[in-house]
Amino acid sequence: MTVRTIQAGPFEGQKPGTSGLRKKTRVFMEPGYVECFLQAIFNSIGGAEGKTLVVGGDGRYFNREAIQIILKMAAANGAAKMIVGQDGLLSTPAVSNLIRQRKAAGGLVLSASHNPGGIDEDFGLKYNVSNGGPAPEGITEEIFAQTQTVSSYRIFDAPDLDLTALGASGLGGMTVEIVDPVADYAALMEQLFDFGKIRDLFAGGFTMRFDAMHAVTGPYAKAILEGKLGAEPGTVLNAVPSVDFGGGHPDPNPVWAKPLVDLVMSDQAPDFAAASDGDGDRNMILGKGIYVTPSDSLAVLAANAHLAPGYAKGLAGVARSMPTSTAADRVAEALGIGHYETPTGWKFFGNLLDAGKVTLCGEESAGTGSDHVREKDGLWAVLLWLNILAETRLSVKDMMAAHWQRYGRNYYSRHDYEAVPTDDANQLMDDLRAKLTEFPGMTFAGLTVSACDDFAYLDPVDGSKSLKQGIRFLFEGGARAVFRLSGTGTVGATLRIYLEKLETDAAKLFENTQAALAPVIQAAGEMSELDRLGRAEPDVIT
Ligand code: VG1
Ligand code: CO
């Protein structure tokens, strides 16, 4: 076995987005592509020499092949140890947990998350740092800079490793430890939640369906929900991870998880239902006859987290991404704790969590998490909900009704326009930006703009600044519209329009969301001259 230095690169466009580098799988499969990106990561962190790293992915097409490359390159770059999920599988929160528990220098997550998988779909690679969270912007910028000059990579000339058998083996001078992907994660969940109470809930006939969407949380959900908590066999649907997620989008929202939504709206509805995404960091929460928006879920969890043992002492504070509804802010105010508004992407929560300023974080895109790891965590959110339901014995619908009655309801929806020609999407955003000083005082669809800006974030912990994080409009009366371009898509641009309206009138808390938001939707369309995209309706409404 020898170390070879191969001349390759640089490749254009290896710029990490909201959550790592995401491209078409075939792009990642180009000779030298993933290798040069990885070499750029190693170069940007001062080399892999002597380091321990965690690696695993969501099992999508090219997962296994990429892991073999990563292991051989880590060995050639002098890494001391690689901790690998069995069969190359690890959910994103499980990677985060392993990095923290094993005090690793960082980790590599192979996933394009909620994007579809397969040779003609998407692949992704993300670097996480020693706190277990996604690399902050300073590091991703350094990685990008390295990708622009990298001209060779180092790789061990060795046969592929067997990733099926647990235990340690060697690759050159490096140790490779294959670990059970579920065990450590399940142990952490058992510390945070009252498994006995949840077991009693299920034993009493409480029914649930969890759709793993043919993605990585299948084995986790089977082991925890059916194995440890006694939910009846068959509770976990689509539990076997497949390379193309059964041909679907592993995105837990009302569009891509429609069968589950249809189920809870039918006569056969279980008491509780949930779904998670490709890499297991997102969650969707449903109850009999109700879909809980991720923004509402964050607010309800913040209001009730103290009912779970891991949060019994209360919360330090709550953070949400800027487009996420303000529902959680009002809970934080009632609790007398801090609340923070960050740009989109979990990497912005890391400093707040490390500094002990917040305990819970959430994003409107179905991400919820806490300081137990430094990623959002789908199954964790589901277990916290279960723990709260086990304590209160309320139905999801009654929980929501009580919450809205106390705090008011933020009607909330996101409209996505996908595969928009990049120039058109940029033009629309530029036009909005150009008029930011003119908009205040103007009225659209009966709503008067009271304030607007291009969101900029000053990190209160390290003082770093992030500009142009989404254009937001506040209307008189408290409604809000936010415009942002996605940083995870791989085809053209995805325009996201986030729409929100606070309702405190007790007689109007149970209306249809799109109807309640109609004026905000119309105003957003008029002010952005949305017609120019030539689209009759959004591709995805969440
Ligand atoms: C989207 C979501 C964002 C989330 C990111 C990664 O980013 O909006 O909230 O953090 O995906 O989630 P964007 O830039 O496309 O809006 V995941 O589960 O794809 O890692
Ligand atoms: Co994800």
Side-chain angles (χ1 to χ4, degrees):
M1 290 195 290
T2 47
V3 172
R4 296 205 295 153
T5 300
I6 313 260
Q7 304 302 316
F11 288 86
E12 257 182 47
Q14 292 192 326
K15 188 174 172 49
T18 311
S19 185
L21 182 68
R22 294 190 192 172
K23 297 282 176 196
K24 287 288 165 203
T25 309
R26 286 187 195 274
V27 173
F28 265 100
M29 291 169 70
E30 281 171 30
Y33 190 92
V34 73
E35 290 87 344
C36 284
F37 186 62
L38 186 63
Q39 191 65 56
I41 293 175
F42 287 158
N43 295 349
S44 70
I45 58 170
E49 191 88 38
K51 292 192 166 114
T52 295
L53 298 170
V54 177
V55 60
D58 63 10
R60 70 180 60 222
Y61 192 93
F62 196 52
N63 191 70
R64 280 161 200 259
E65 295 80 354
I67 289 194
Q68 295 291 347
I69 294 170
I70 290 170
L71 293 177
K72 291 173 197 173
M73 282 187 60
N77 280 272
K81 184 175 185 176
M82 296 296 279
I83 299 170
V84 192
Q86 190 177 26
D87 296 324
L89 294 180
L90 278 175
S91 76
T92 292
V95 171
S96 187
N97 181 46
L98 276 172
I99 293 172
R100 295 166 66 77
Q101 291 209 336
R102 303 297 198 89
K103 303 202 170 13
L108 295 152
V109 183
L110 293 83
S111 173
S113 195
H114 58 289
N115 298 16
I119 190 162
D120 290 314
E121 297 295 349
D122 294 353
F123 192 79
L125 180 57
K126 178 170 77 162
Y127 179 65
N128 281 26
V129 294
S130 62
N131 74 352
E137 280 205 320
I139 295 180
T140 57
E141 276 159 20
E142 179 56 28
I143 293 172
F144 181 48
Q146 291 286 345
T147 67
Q148 291 169 304
T149 56
V150 70
S151 58
S152 67
Y153 64 88
R154 289 159 66 76
I155 190 160
F156 226 91
D157 210 358
D160 281 357
L161 268 91
D162 175 11
L163 303 181
T164 61
L166 296 178
S169 60
L171 183 59
M174 182 180 87
T175 304
V176 177
E177 183 187 348
I178 314 276
V179 297
D180 177 340
V182 178
D184 290 6
Y185 177 83
L188 175 65
M189 294 302 114
E190 211 156 349
Q191 280 171 26
L192 296 174
F193 303 116
D194 189 337
F195 275 28
K197 276 258 164 63
I198 304 175
R199 252 196 305 272
D200 290 348
L201 181 73
F202 281 120
F206 181 88
T207 54
M208 171 178 182
R209 289 290 175 277
F210 179 92
D211 190 345
M213 303 190 86
H214 307 277
V216 78
T217 35
Y220 295 83
K222 274 255 170 207
I224 296 173
L225 297 174
E226 294 181 18
K228 288 177 182 279
L229 296 171
E232 61 180 4
T235 293
V236 183
L237 310 169
N238 304 315
V240 179
S242 80
V243 291
D244 69 348
F245 308 116
H249 285 230
D251 194 349
N253 66 35
V255 176
W256 297 111
K258 187 167 184 298
L260 196 66
V261 180
D262 289 346
L263 178 70
V264 301
M265 301 300 170
S266 76
D267 296 343
Q268 273 83 51
D271 295 309
F272 182 60
S276 63
D277 72 332
D279 60 331
D281 57 359
R282 296 189 180 200
N283 72 91
M284 175 169 73
I285 300 294
L286 302 156
K288 216 173 247 178
I290 188 166
Y291 159 68
V292 181
T293 70
S295 295
D296 272 347
S297 178
L298 175 67
V300 169
L301 293 182
N304 296 283
H306 62 277
L307 297 174
Y311 307 93
K313 290 198 195 107
L315 309 176
V318 182
R320 61 167 174 83
S321 66
M322 181 274 279
T324 303
S325 96
T326 55
D329 299 10
R330 290 196 307 288
V331 174
E333 276 153 22
L335 291 172
I337 57 176
H339 56 90
Y340 298 83
E341 186 175 42
T342 61
T344 296
W346 211 260
K347 59 188 171 208
F348 293 104
F349 294 133
N351 280 345
L352 295 171
L353 290 164
D354 284 351
K357 288 183 179 294
V358 301
T359 311
L360 291 198
C361 306
E363 293 193 280
E364 58 65 43
S365 54
T368 338
S370 87
D371 58 359
H372 69 292
V373 289
R374 292 294 180 275
E375 289 275 7
K376 53 192 188 272
D377 188 344
L379 207 46
W380 166 90
V382 172
L383 291 169
L384 181 50
W385 263 94
L386 279 171
N387 200 150
I388 292 166
L389 295 176
E391 283 289 343
T392 61
R393 299 281 167 156
L394 286 174
S395 71
V396 176
K397 221 178 193 170
D398 289 346
M399 281 286 298
M400 294 316 301
H403 188 88
W404 293 332
Q405 260 137 21
R406 170 151 184 208
Y407 295 98
R409 175 174 181 182
N410 289 72
Y411 283 100
Y412 189 86
S413 183
R414 192 184 80 211
H415 290 193
D416 287 344
Y417 295 85
E418 295 177 345
V420 176
T422 308
D423 289 346
D424 296 358
N426 285 333
Q427 190 64 54
L428 185 146
M429 293 296 283
D430 286 345
D431 289 350
L432 284 173
R433 240 177 237 120
K435 288 196 278 186
L436 282 177
T437 50
E438 290 168 36
F439 279 126
M442 286 171 79
T443 300
F444 302 88
L447 292 171
T448 303
V449 178
S450 56
C452 58
D453 69 353
D454 195 350
F455 181 58
Y457 180 62
L458 177 67
D459 186 307
V461 179
D462 68 11
S464 59
K465 255 193 186 158
S466 303
L467 305 174
K468 294 179 118 176
Q469 296 294 325
I471 300 174
R472 55 180 180 177
F473 294 91
L474 198 64
F475 300 100
E476 278 170 13
R480 223 169 54 129
V482 176
F483 295 78
R484 234 191 108 246
L485 298 185
S486 158
T488 59
T490 57
V491 185
T494 295
L495 172 67
R496 303 198 194 282
I497 306 181
Y498 309 82
L499 307 141
E500 174 181 358
K501 183 182 154 212
L502 173 62
E503 182 59 71
T504 49
D505 181 343
K508 295 183 185 162
L509 294 176
F510 303 95
E511 297 187 354
N512 172 283
T513 298
Q514 298 304 316
L517 289 171
V520 194
I521 295 168
Q522 202 191 325
E526 284 176 17
M527 55 208 306
S528 61
E529 296 166 39
L530 196 58
D531 284 352
R532 64 172 110 175
L533 298 184
R535 302 289 181 93
E537 54 187 32
D539 296 285
V540 172
I541 296 181
T542 65

